[in-house]
Amino acid sequence: MSFLLPKLTSKKEVDQAIKSTAEKVLVLRFGRDEDPVCLQLDDILSKTSSDLSKMAAIYLVDVDQTPVYTQYFDISYIPSTVFFFNGQHMKVDYGCGSPTSLLLALVCSEEAALEGCASRTSPPRSPPALCLVSIFSG
């Protein structure tokens, strides 16, 4: 579903998106179009983009085409998602790890989901066949 979301292919385009997105959350998904996990996340983002269009602008950023931002945000795992509001990088405290970026991995079995959520106090509420596990990059 990568083809359904707009792509930013250069530092200039990323800079423009950060500067021009006002009164909305800017969501930048850093990854690669051919990566299967990125494709899964892109599918989720594309399905929610119309519902969130008044609150958020979602863009895909290829880590290989924007190495400056990949280094700046210390993107070491893909996909990673970075958030901005009114041109300001949002640093959110998710309860563990670095507050600069968020990596979401899709897990396809209940056992793997429970292992991934071992640090939580309660099991995930998503259906076992498709659990969303948060892993934080730093």
Side-chain angles (χ1 to χ4, degrees):
M1 293 296 179
S2 295
F3 61 90
L4 296 176
L5 294 168
K7 295 179 186 175
L8 304 176
T9 58
S10 67
K11 180 187 180 305
K12 183 178 180 179
E13 289 179 1
V14 174
D15 289 340
Q16 184 62 30
I18 292 169
K19 291 175 186 175
S20 66
T21 304
E23 299 305 318
K24 287 184 179 182
V25 173
L26 174 63
V27 180
L28 299 178
R29 189 280 285 150
F30 284 85
R32 292 186 180 95
D33 290 342
E34 67 276 359
D35 184 83
V37 179
C38 291
L39 291 172
Q40 288 178 323
L41 180 57
D42 294 350
D43 183 46
I44 293 168
L45 291 173
S46 66
K47 288 177 182 176
T48 60
S49 64
S50 63
D51 293 332
L52 298 174
S53 63
K54 293 183 181 181
M55 296 177 271
I58 303 170
Y59 292 96
L60 307 180
V61 182
D62 190 301
V63 293
D64 298 321
Q65 294 177 346
T66 56
V68 171
Y69 278 115
T70 304
Q71 283 184 318
Y72 182 76
F73 294 119
D74 194 23
I75 306 290
S76 50
Y77 300 104
I78 60 168
S80 286
T81 310
V82 179
F83 304 94
F84 289 86
F85 185 74
N86 288 338
Q88 300 295 313
H89 182 214
M90 294 174 59
K91 295 185 179 184
V92 183
D93 183 4
Y94 297 102
C96 65
S98 171
T100 59
S101 65
L102 171 66
L103 169 68
L104 297 173
L106 296 171
V107 179
C108 295
S109 73
E110 185 174 8
E111 180 181 329
L114 292 175
E115 286 176 22
C117 297
S119 64
R120 293 184 178 186
T121 57
S122 62
R125 294 182 186 188
S126 302
L130 187 64
C131 292
L132 208 56
V133 179
S134 298
I135 305 169
F136 304 94
S137 65

